[in-house]
């Protein structure tokens, strides 16, 4: 069903006010625009002192309203501008705002006099109502009437029809823009529906995956338990420790497959286990230090948020360096937030790499490893707001990088 349009859909009211003011200034007439119910949608432009003073009198004002209503109704019925004589003897007009058969309102105006170039002009103009407000008996109104502009009938008709044609063009432009906006809204709705459908399909596939892999994880833990027991019997303590750490990491991953949020304590434990395994692989090339106060362990933290950062640091900052390096993870509180810093003394991250990670426009050019950091940044902003975006800094021009990850303290 097509949406019912109002005058606000068809015309930019601010632009209409400027047009109305310019017309009033250039032709010496008064203007105001009303909607189809007769309610003003613009401010008065060029109103005369005579009409302003007259409308302070309740009887005079009521007669003005009757004239406006009659003129507007006549223009709405005929679909053409209507020029008429008001109760005070001034010439007024109504320019209908009609587009494709729909009436949206009218531009009411006039408050002008004329010398009536010929008798035919005076006879043709309709007197809306015969009643008069007897303003001629008021000296103040008589004086104000002297300032009323007098314009020829031909010029009045020319202005009125020019306004009518101009407004037709303006409404056509507004209708085109309204249609475009409606199409854009519908396209966004379609995209949103598509996104919801894809998310649902993804969840269904994940559910299928979990049902298929549930037994596999159970079997894997049993196998790791057997290997760990063999390592113990053979006195291979390092192997036993490694298997134990790996089993804990796999269990944490399996148990949180359907979760988006974990706690900082669980994430730090997972990262510590990861660093222990990497230390076994890299031996003396990797040293690490974790200093996070346990009072922050219950702070909400997006799942698998810190480990990808640490993995990136090891692969691109520590391993390429001949003598290796050290990773320090520490946490400080600033007001209602905590900042987790992952600091290294590796080869350092180039400035253009940092810029490409943080710049949304360069997303299509990001390598897979950098894209992980980009996703982390987007996730933080999406969950907590823009103030929680990643901050990546070089420690020096030659070595070292620090990645700061900010989280709100809301569940200590």
């Amino acid at each position: 069903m097509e949406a019912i349009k109002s005058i606000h859909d068809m015309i930019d009211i601010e632009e209409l006010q400027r047009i109305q003011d310019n017309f009033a200034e250039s032709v010496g007439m008064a203007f105001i625009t009303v909607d189809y119910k007769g309610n003003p949608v613009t401010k008065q432009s060029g109103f005369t002192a005579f009409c302003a003073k007259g409308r302070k009198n309740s009887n005079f004002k009521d007669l003005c309203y009757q004239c406006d209503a009659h003129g507007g109704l006549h223009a709405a019925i005929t679909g053409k501008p209507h020029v008429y004589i008001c109760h005070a003897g001034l010439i007024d007009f109504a320019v209908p705002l009609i587009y494709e058969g729909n009436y949206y309102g009218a531009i009411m105006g006039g408050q002008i006099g004329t010398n009536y170039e010929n008798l035919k002009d005076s006879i043709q103009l309709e007197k809306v109502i015969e009643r008069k407000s007897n303003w001629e008996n008021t000296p103040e109104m008589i004086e104000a009437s002297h300032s009323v502009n007098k314009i020829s009938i031909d010029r009045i008709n020319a202005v009125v029809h020019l306004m009518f044609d101009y407004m037709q063009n303006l409404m056509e432009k507004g209708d085109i823009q309204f249609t475009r906006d409606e199409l854009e809204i519908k396209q966004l709705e379609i995209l949103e529906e598509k996104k919801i459908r894809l998310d649902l399909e993804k969840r269904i596939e994940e559910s299928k995956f979990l049902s298929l892999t549930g037994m596999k994880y159970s079997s894997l833990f049993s196998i790791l338990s057997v290997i760990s027991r063999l390592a113990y019997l053979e006195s291979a303590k390092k192997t036993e420790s490694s298997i134990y750490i790996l089993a804990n990491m796999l269990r944490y991953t399996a148990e949180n497959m359907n979760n988006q949020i974990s706690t900082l304590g669980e994430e730090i434990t997972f990262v510590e286990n990861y660093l222990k395994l990497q230390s076994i692989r890299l031996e003396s090339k990797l040293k690490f230090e974790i200093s996070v106060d346990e009072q922050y362990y219950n702070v909400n933290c997006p799942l698998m948020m810190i480990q990808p950062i640490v993995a990136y640091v090891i692969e691109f900052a520590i391993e390429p360096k001949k003598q290796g390096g050290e990773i320090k993870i520490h946490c400080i509180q600033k007001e209602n937030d905590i900042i987790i810093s992952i600091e290294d003394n590796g080869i350092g991250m180039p400035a253009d790499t940092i810029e490409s990670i943080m710049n949304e426009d360069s997303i299509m050019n990001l390598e897979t490893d950098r894209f992980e950091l980009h996703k982390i940044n987007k996730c933080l902003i999406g969950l907590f707001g823009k103030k929680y975006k990643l901050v990546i800094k070089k420690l020096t021009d030659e070595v070292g990088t620090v990645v700061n990850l900010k989280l709100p303290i809301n569940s200590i």
Side-chain angles (χ1 to χ4, degrees), residues 291-406:
S291 176
V292 177
D293 197 307
E294 290 185 6
Q295 67 171 314
Y296 304 125
Y297 274 18
N298 287 329
V299 172
N300 284 338
C301 180
L303 188 71
M304 301 298 289
M305 186 63 62
I306 303 174
Q307 185 272 334
I309 299 173
V310 174
Y312 183 93
V313 170
I314 291 174
E315 184 176 356
F316 295 97
I318 303 299
E319 287 194 68
K321 193 174 178 182
K322 186 176 180 180
Q323 66 273 32
E326 183 179 11
I327 296 175
K328 294 181 179 180
I329 301 175
H330 54 89
C331 176
I332 61 170
Q333 179 175 348
K334 282 194 175 180
E335 297 179 350
N336 295 322
D337 301 319
I338 58 170
I339 299 173
I340 302 105
S341 296
I342 298 99
E343 182 180 321
D344 70 83
N345 61 353
I347 61 173
M349 190 182 296
D352 58 343
T353 300
I354 296 174
E355 184 179 355
S356 66
I357 290 170
M358 304 304 294
N359 186 358
E360 292 187 18
D361 295 334
S362 64
I363 183 171
M364 299 304 295
N365 299 321
L366 291 177
E367 298 171 11
T368 303
D369 48 77
R370 297 180 190 175
F371 186 59
E372 283 297 318
L373 297 185
H374 182 88
K375 285 199 298 184
I376 290 171
N377 186 49
K378 292 278 285 183
C379 178
L380 287 169
I381 294 172
L383 287 172
F384 304 121
K386 288 189 176 182
K387 66 173 282 193
Y388 293 95
K389 67 180 180 180
L390 280 180
V391 176
I392 306 174
K393 297 179 182 178
K394 295 178 67 176
L395 291 179
T396 69
D397 291 336
E398 297 180 358
V399 298
T401 304
V402 60
V403 180
N404 289 333
L405 186 154
K406 185 189 292 185

Side-chain angles (χ1 to χ4, degrees), residues 226-285:
V226 170
I227 295 172
S228 177
R229 182 62 180 168
L230 286 173
Y232 172 76
L233 293 173
E234 295 172 357
S235 298
K237 293 183 179 180
K238 186 176 287 189
T239 303
E240 180 187 6
S241 175
S242 299
I243 293 170
Y244 178 76
I245 291 170
L246 178 60
N248 283 337
M249 291 179 68
L250 290 172
R251 185 174 288 107
Y252 176 73
T253 304
E255 289 175 352
N256 288 281
M257 261 191 155
N258 279 334
N259 298 331
Q260 287 186 328
I261 301 294
S262 182
T263 63
L264 180 59
E266 290 176 334
E267 286 291 293
I268 289 296
T269 299
F270 184 82
V271 168
E272 185 175 10
N273 285 331
Y274 176 77
L275 283 167
K276 285 177 180 177
L277 287 181
Q278 290 291 353
S279 294
I280 294 170
R281 181 175 70 89
L282 296 173
E283 298 178 333
S284 63
K285 284 192 69 175

